[in-house]
Amino acid sequence: METTIAGQNINLNPEGYLLDLNQWNPEIAEHIAQEEGIELGEEHWPVLKFLQEQHRQEVALSIRKVGKSGIVNIKEFYALFPGGPLKKASRIAGIPKPASCI
Amino acid sequence: MKDIVILGAGTAGTLMSNHLAQKLNEEWRITVVDQRKVHHYQPGYLFVPFGVYNEEDIIKPIEKFIPERAVLYQESIVKVDADNDRVHLEDGSVLPYDVLVVATGTDIAPEEIDGMLGPHWHQSVFDFYSLEGAVKLHEKLKNWEGGHLAVHIAEMPIKCPVAPLEFAFLADAYFEERGMRDKVKISFITPMDGAFTKPVASAHLGHLLEEKNIEVVPNFNIMSLDGEAKKILDYEGKEVSYDLLVTVPTNKGAEFVERSGFGDELNFIPTDKATLQSKVKENIFVIGDATNIPASKAGSVAHFEGEILLENVLRFINGKTLSSRFDGHANCFVETGHGKALLIDFNYTHQPVSGTFPIPGIGPLNLLKESRMNHMGKMAFKWIYWNMLITGKHIPFVSAKMNEAGKNLEETIV
């Protein structure tokens, strides 16, 4: 599905996740964050950057991994992205939703 | 004399030892290390709680499946000294190697969850990812009078990601067959956003949960367990009370990985997802659940990786580039109860879709659809496992790389 966010054409899957991280930029992140009811502040960006780095290294993400990143602990991660932190943070970071095999 | 050392004699290690024994010349000595005496048919764990298999049905001696030319060390591993190409064992022996294959899998680590272990462990809180847990759960279920059965996944990744769902389906059928389904509430508690997370599988299979009256509690990331109050709590303050909790605790790689200094935070080993060469050192390869690659942790994956890894190890020792590439292929039967099962076949790029398997357009097995034939396939697989899979024989029609023919791949286009 192609759509326009912050004046840029991007491709999203039906659940609203970016299909290509190369299309991501901070304005798009802010727009998606608003849809998730989150106002991005200084503390959000290092977490998003960490998720993107892990994704580029083809490492599967988990709450634990974020909690051990040295950037935030699990409670802080929840506070920044309430109600499904990994799912929401992944969407805002422009990477796929964490999923199982089916 | 050159040395190839294989750590672990489970599914992956055993099949690699057999593959290598067939292909390496006599210049190579093959050594296998595993402290355990018995090989477990792990897909059988799922059936033990329901009395379909008992303990004796799913274990055989490890040494029976190790090739004659290989040396088997039954010692636990202290650490790998990657800089000096040596493995240190508990009894003080040191095994030098030219090539190392790590196949030490993953195991449950209930101690990772605050409060999970305690007097309630294997009393009201059970796992079925160990033979001991599965056997004790069987004893519990036999005499259980009903209540809230909570089936729970602590965190990903876990071995055989469909097994918890299969457990919930089989529990529904088990209690129904015993005439007490109305006395049991079954819920499925997952850190993911649903029991099914892939769009096509969700569309085909979502109805199963409603039909079987299984309540899904999504987005639940466990923080702690209170064994006395019989409840689990998540990081957001959500709580679920249970009478009987069947949990899949955190899964971790082997402890020697941590002592060797090359695992991630769960002791899984950074590995190239295509070549299966470790990112630790070029003469270390990793197969099966021990890797950190984004493929499912499952026996079928280890099996398909085996053919790729054999090729790449042979290329490596002959000084050639590693050209064989694993595509993430997995193939799993999913029991749905009452003598039926589904079959899924997928890889890194293609999610499970409907279609026919293994012969395109013919089958006889159906993908992503419940059938009795699929269940018979799952039950027949035990024989295939002991006689073909871990002994390194080729299974007819089933290739290491996923076959795109016979699959309705257009389903993924939305």
Side-chain angles (χ1 to χ4, degrees):
Chain A
M1 167 170 87
E2 198 170 321
T3 185
T4 308
I5 294 183
Q8 193 183 326
N9 286 337
I10 56 163
N11 297 303
L12 298 176
N13 79 5
E15 293 177 305
Y17 286 74
L18 258 69
L19 293 172
D20 181 1
L21 179 54
N22 291 322
Q23 294 181 335
W24 182 92
N25 64 40
E27 289 80 50
I28 289 170
E30 275 167 356
H31 182 91
I32 296 175
Q34 273 172 15
E35 287 181 9
E36 295 282 1
I38 294 166
E39 192 71 45
L40 292 182
E42 236 173 74
E43 290 172 324
H44 292 89
W45 296 105
V47 178
L48 298 176
K49 199 171 158 231
F50 172 77
L51 295 180
Q52 291 173 339
E53 278 165 9
Q54 296 293 309
H55 175 72
R56 286 201 183 93
Q57 289 169 30
E58 301 186 313
V59 172
L61 283 156
S62 64
I63 297 257
R64 172 188 294 260
K65 195 167 285 260
V66 177
K68 291 215 173 163
S69 64
I71 298 164
V72 282
N73 64 31
I74 296 178
K75 288 227 158 177
E76 291 162 350
F77 189 35
Y78 266 92
L80 288 174
F81 303 92
L86 193 56
K87 196 175 69 159
K88 288 187 178 179
S90 295
R91 190 173 161 230
I92 299 167
I95 65 171
K97 184 184 84 172
S100 185
C101 59
I102 58 171
Chain B
M1 193 61 135
K2 288 185 172 172
D3 280 293
I4 185 160
V5 174
I6 301 170
L7 302 181
T11 306
T14 303
L15 71 86
M16 268 327 282
S17 71
N18 284 297
H19 275 314
L20 289 164
Q22 288 161 27
K23 293 283 180 185
L24 291 177
N25 64 31
E26 293 302 323
E27 185 198 359
W28 283 86
R29 176 166 54 199
I30 303 170
T31 304
V32 181
V33 183
D34 197 313
Q35 80 273 31
R36 298 167 302 180
K37 299 277 188 278
V38 280
H39 187 123
H40 293 194
Y41 172 64
Q42 295 181 62
Y45 289 171
L46 173 67
F47 296 98
V48 171
F50 305 108
V52 178
Y53 292 145
N54 61 33
E55 188 169 346
E56 292 72 41
D57 292 332
I58 59 170
I59 58 172
K60 289 180 193 285
I62 270 192
E63 59 183 358
K64 192 174 166 187
F65 300 94
I66 302 300
E68 263 177 40
R69 61 174 283 196
V71 186
L72 176 62
Y73 272 83
Q74 302 217 281
E75 273 300 324
S76 70
I77 303 155
V78 176
K79 67 169 198 168
V80 172
D81 177 359
D83 291 337
N84 296 301
D85 304 325
R86 284 163 200 276
V87 180
H88 294 263
L89 303 182
E90 188 73 46
D91 67 350
S93 349
V94 177
L95 304 176
Y97 59 82
D98 296 284
V99 175
L100 183 71
V101 174
V102 183
T104 41
T106 177
D107 206 349
I108 56 167
E111 69 280 5
E112 288 287 337
I113 308 294
D114 187 25
M116 189 170 272
L117 290 177
H120 46 272
W121 181 247
H122 291 168
Q123 296 295 327
S124 57
V125 178
F126 290 83
D127 77 285
F128 66 97
Y129 272 47
S130 63
L131 187 51
E132 186 198 1
V135 168
K136 289 191 168 155
L137 181 53
H138 175 55
E139 294 303 315
K140 177 77 180 186
L141 290 179
K142 268 198 309 199
N143 305 310
W144 196 47
E145 285 169 358
H148 180 197
L149 166 65
V151 182
H152 168 248
I153 300 172
E155 60 180 311
M156 299 301 284
I158 57 168
K159 174 155 46 186
C160 192
V162 292
L165 198 54
E166 292 180 276
F167 184 90
F169 290 157
L170 290 177
D172 163 68
Y174 175 80
F175 292 121
E176 198 175 305
E177 279 153 24
R178 294 181 58 195
M180 57 181 287
R181 183 62 181 87
D182 59 334
K183 296 196 176 71
V184 180
K185 173 186 166 187
I186 303 178
S187 58
F188 185 79
I189 301 150
T190 169
M192 317 297 267
D193 70 347
F196 297 103
T197 59
K198 298 280 179 172
V200 179
S202 240
H204 279 272
L205 306 174
H207 66 97
L208 289 172
L209 294 153
E210 207 167 309
E211 275 169 31
K212 296 175 190 294
N213 197 15
I214 296 166
E215 186 197 328
V216 178
V217 180
N219 301 317
F220 190 98
N221 284 288
I222 189 168
M223 184 177 73
S224 62
L225 181 148
D226 184 338
E228 212 162 304
K230 294 192 176 174
K231 61 184 184 187
I232 48 176
L233 296 97
D234 93 340
Y235 283 98
E236 247 176 344
K238 283 182 287 187
E239 286 184 18
V240 174
S241 295
Y242 58 83
D243 296 301
L244 176 57
L245 183 76
V246 174
T247 184
V248 180
T250 305
N251 279 210
K252 289 179 83 173
E255 281 176 13
F256 83 85
V257 175
E258 191 176 356
R259 289 192 291 268
S260 308
F262 50 60
D264 67 11
E265 70 287 345
L266 288 169
N267 299 345
F268 296 122
I269 303 169
T271 306
D272 185 288
K273 72 172 192 175
T275 64
L276 305 175
Q277 186 176 43
S278 78
K279 294 177 180 173
V280 180
K281 201 174 171 186
E282 59 173 9
N283 63 342
I284 301 180
F285 293 82
V286 196
I287 179 171
D289 298 346
T291 75
N292 77 336
I293 65 173
S296 290
K297 296 196 182 297
S300 67
V301 172
H303 167 222
F304 298 136
E305 287 172 344
E307 294 183 33
I308 307 291
L309 184 56
L310 173 65
E311 179 80 27
N312 279 341
V313 167
L314 295 176
R315 295 187 72 88
F316 177 78
I317 63 183
N318 288 310
K320 296 180 183 162
T321 54
L322 308 183
S323 58
S324 194
R325 304 183 74 77
F326 182 55
D327 69 350
H329 189 194
N331 179 276
C332 309
F333 290 102
V334 183
E335 283 289 299
T336 53
H338 302 292
K340 289 185 182 174
L342 307 159
L343 180 64
I344 53 175
D345 196 54
F346 57 98
N347 65 10
Y348 288 140
T349 36
H350 295 297
Q351 63 177 298
V353 293
S354 63
T356 45
F357 185 88
I359 306 170
I362 295 174
L365 302 174
N366 281 309
L367 294 170
L368 217 52
K369 193 174 157 195
E370 272 188 294
S371 78
R372 294 199 176 277
M373 185 68 113
N374 287 338
H375 170 70
M376 286 158 68
K378 176 132 181 166
M379 300 321 270
F381 184 72
K382 184 152 77 94
W383 187 91
I384 295 176
Y385 181 87
W386 291 120
N387 294 284
M388 299 178 81
L389 193 141
I390 60 171
T391 55
K393 294 192 182 74
H394 182 70
I395 300 174
F397 305 113
V398 181
S399 57
K401 297 204 174 174
M402 193 195 84
N403 191 347
E404 292 189 12
K407 290 192 170 67
N408 301 318
L409 294 174
E410 70 280 1
E411 288 179 330
T412 58
I413 302 161
V414 274

